[in-house]
Amino acid sequence: EAGVAQSPRYKIIEKRQSVAFWCNPISGHATLYWYQQILGQGPKLLIQFQNNGVVDDSQLPKDRFSAERLKGVDSTLKIQPAKLEDSAVYLCASSLDRSDEQFFGPGTRLTVL
Amino acid sequence: GESVGLHLPTLSVQEGDNSIINCAYSNSASDYFIWYKQESGKGPQFIIDIRSNMDKRQGQRVTVLLNKTVKHLSLQIAATQPGDSAVYFCAENQGSNDYKLSFGAGTTVTVRA
């Protein structure tokens, strides 16, 4: 079974630029999560989708971050404009449903200069 | 084996010895806990979980202990191997109908040959 796919794996941008990350969850998984993992810390949930609807985006900085999962499968996370403190690994995870085990992708490492 | 009474960010252990990684959680209402292993450049990987109605659960070479009185969780790894070198995170579920994981700070385990 293929795991959670993410791209790109690495991205370097300058502050105030925009960036987008893509996630393809495990086939059939209804729930999709985006996490932010700052160096030396544990992952922090940014947003949770159930199919194509948002379940929880309470920790998403909505002034600069946006995410969508239009067809209930793939998802994109965008940052516009980026700040230095956005440098982190962005992890995507998926689960069969909301109370099932989460499987994580390899993450996208973002560096903002 | 080597053990850590309080959470420490790093743990160095001799190959073949037992390791104990500690974690303090924050919410006395949390009912489900998971230990994850994260290797360099990869996303967190599920190791073992435990529900709040249990105080011990064993897997292959791993044991999780839960002390709800002091809100403490530990992961014991038997006969530590070089492949066990990674960052280990505990996560507590703070959701009710679905999983809302809050991750701890992580412990970096280095296995000495």
Side-chain angles (χ1 to χ4, degrees):
Chain A
E1 178 180 83
V4 176
Q6 291 188 247
S7 68
R9 292 297 314 276
Y10 305 92
K11 189 75 178 177
I12 301 174
I13 61 172
E14 296 189 346
K15 60 183 178 183
R16 292 187 289 273
Q17 285 187 324
S18 302
V19 65
F21 313 126
W22 174 81
C23 171
N24 182 233
I26 294 173
S27 178
H29 280 197
T31 314
L32 185 147
Y33 309 80
W34 283 102
Y35 289 85
Q36 180 192 58
Q37 186 175 22
I38 292 172
L39 186 65
Q41 300 181 16
K44 183 186 83 169
L45 179 67
L46 291 176
I47 189 168
Q48 176 186 351
F49 291 94
Q50 181 70 11
N51 297 308
N52 62 350
V54 175
V55 173
D56 182 359
D57 63 357
S58 58
Q59 298 199 77
L60 188 73
K62 298 180 188 62
D63 57 333
R64 298 184 300 106
F65 286 64
S66 64
E68 60 184 17
R69 194 185 184 200
L70 293 176
K71 296 183 179 179
V73 181
D74 293 6
S75 177
T76 56
L77 176 70
K78 297 179 182 177
I79 308 175
Q80 180 180 7
K83 293 185 175 182
L84 296 177
E85 59 261 36
D86 298 332
S87 293
V89 174
Y90 291 85
L91 294 163
C92 179
S94 71
S95 61
L96 198 60
D97 209 330
R98 292 168 66 166
S99 56
D100 292 309
E101 179 184 344
Q102 296 182 27
F103 294 86
F104 286 82
T108 296
R109 181 176 296 278
L110 173 67
T111 302
V112 182
L113 302 175
Chain B
E2 298 187 44
S3 67
V4 181
L6 299 174
H7 171 260
L8 292 179
T10 61
L11 175 64
S12 179
V13 60
Q14 186 70 37
E15 181 179 357
D17 285 354
N18 297 332
S19 304
I20 299 177
I21 306 165
N22 294 300
C23 175
Y25 62 93
S26 59
N27 190 345
S28 57
S30 294
D31 62 354
Y32 179 61
F33 305 87
I34 307 172
W35 279 100
Y36 285 93
K37 173 186 181 182
Q38 188 173 25
E39 297 175 277
S40 180
K42 297 184 179 180
Q45 179 185 13
F46 175 97
I47 301 174
I48 192 168
D49 59 359
I50 189 167
R51 298 203 174 274
S52 58
N53 60 354
M54 304 172 70
D55 53 20
K56 181 179 180 179
R57 188 158 190 235
Q58 289 185 291
Q60 187 176 11
R61 283 201 308 119
V62 293
T63 301
V64 56
L65 299 178
L66 175 62
N67 185 331
K68 294 183 287 294
T69 302
V70 295
K71 293 190 290 186
H72 182 268
L73 197 65
S74 68
L75 177 70
Q76 301 177 5
I77 305 173
T80 311
Q81 303 170 358
D84 295 328
S85 293
V87 181
Y88 291 80
F89 294 97
C90 66
E92 62 182 298
N93 175 40
Q94 298 186 336
S96 52
N97 295 322
D98 54 0
Y99 287 162
K100 297 257 186 275
L101 298 181
S102 175
F103 284 79
T107 295
T108 300
V109 173
T110 303
V111 181
R112 306 188 304 270

